[in-house]
């Protein structure tokens, strides 16, 4: 498989941190946490049972460790806090090697960027990409493909969006790639 593109637009916020929080809060609503935990618990139990019958690849210990990890998650209460729920989903997906596969993988915002760290574009970068440091929503939609080509696996960027008059910020655009 390869990295998959994701992108989201937030409402107006003074900081990319607040915009990211809005987007992640919305993305979290797509999850049924009790069902996700149960699905992973069932999968881990099935893997252990199969390896107990035939462990030709020597994975029984690994599967038992995964089962214990998921059982520990299942035994705890689901937190009410958004950040803690996102961290719970990250813990559930920890061993997949793929992360969550969406904006919930993003852990921070920094001008240095990095794996799972969204990097705000600087004005001069936006000028180079589209000829303006104040892109509109329409321009951002046209830029997504180009931005995708510039991103590596697990990379993401963000930038503010402006009204057609370009005088007022109307939101933030986040564009990223999954790690796999």
């Amino acid at each position: 498989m390869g990295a998959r593109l994701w992108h989201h637009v937030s409402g107006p916020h003074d900081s990319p941190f607040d915009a990211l929080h809005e987007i992640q809060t919305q993305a979290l609503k797509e999850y049924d946490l009790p069902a996700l935990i149960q699905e992973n618990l069932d999968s881990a139990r099935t893997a252990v049972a199969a390896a107990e019958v035939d462990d030709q690849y020597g994975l029984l210990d690994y599967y038992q460790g995964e089962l214990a990890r998921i059982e520990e998650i299942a035994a705890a209460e689901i937190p009410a806090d958004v950040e803690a729920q996102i961290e719970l989903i990250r813990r559930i997906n920890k061993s997949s090697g793929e992360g969550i596969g969406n904006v919930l993988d993003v852990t921070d915002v920094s001008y240095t960027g990095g794996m799972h760290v969204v990097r705000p574009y600087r004005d001069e970068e936006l000028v180079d990409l589209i000829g303006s440091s104040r892109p509109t929503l329409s321009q951002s939609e046209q830029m997504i493909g180009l931005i995708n080509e510039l991103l590596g696996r697990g990379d993401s960027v963000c930038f503010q969006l402006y009204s057609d008059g370009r005088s007022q910020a109307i939101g933030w655009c986040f564009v990223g790639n999954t790690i796999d």
Side-chain angles (χ1 to χ4, degrees):
M1 226 167 114
R4 290 181 321 247
L5 171 70
W6 55 261
H7 57 93
H8 299 275
V9 173
S10 77
H13 294 279
D14 291 335
S15 79
F17 295 99
D18 294 337
L20 177 62
H21 180 74
E22 174 194 322
I23 289 168
Q24 288 184 324
T25 299
Q26 286 300 108
L28 184 61
K29 291 178 182 177
E30 297 176 21
Y31 287 84
D32 177 345
L33 295 179
L36 180 65
I37 293 168
Q38 189 60 52
E39 176 184 311
N40 279 268
L41 192 55
D42 293 344
S43 178
R45 287 177 177 149
T46 299
V48 167
E52 286 174 337
V53 172
D54 180 12
D55 192 20
Q56 74 182 61
Y57 299 109
L59 293 173
L60 179 59
D61 289 343
Y62 171 78
Y63 290 145
Q64 287 173 330
E66 284 300 295
L67 176 58
R69 186 176 69 79
I70 299 297
E71 285 176 334
E72 182 180 315
I73 290 170
E77 281 190 43
I78 294 175
D81 178 69
V82 168
E83 308 304 329
Q85 288 181 5
I86 294 170
E87 186 55 37
L88 174 67
I89 296 171
R90 289 179 184 145
R91 285 179 49 218
I92 290 169
N93 288 281
K94 179 181 176 182
S95 66
S96 74
E98 298 177 10
I100 299 169
N102 61 36
V103 70
L104 296 180
D105 283 322
V106 175
T107 59
D108 200 4
V109 177
S110 168
Y111 280 101
T112 57
M115 181 72 69
H116 300 308
V117 176
V118 70
R119 184 176 66 82
Y121 270 146
R122 298 182 189 279
D123 286 350
E124 54 273 9
E125 292 175 292
L126 290 169
V127 169
D128 288 345
L129 278 171
I130 62 156
S132 172
S133 63
R134 294 178 170 241
T136 63
L137 179 59
S138 175
Q139 287 174 318
S140 76
E141 291 166 351
Q142 295 170 13
M143 292 172 33
I144 289 172
L146 175 60
I147 292 170
N148 184 39
E149 292 175 19
L150 299 172
L151 294 175
R153 292 173 185 257
D155 288 341
S156 56
V157 295
C158 68
F159 51 94
Q160 275 192 298
L161 298 172
Y162 291 85
S163 62
D164 288 337
R166 297 196 172 137
S167 60
Q168 182 176 355
I170 60 168
W172 287 82
C173 181
F174 288 77
V175 180
N177 274 329
T178 63
I179 59 174
D180 195 29

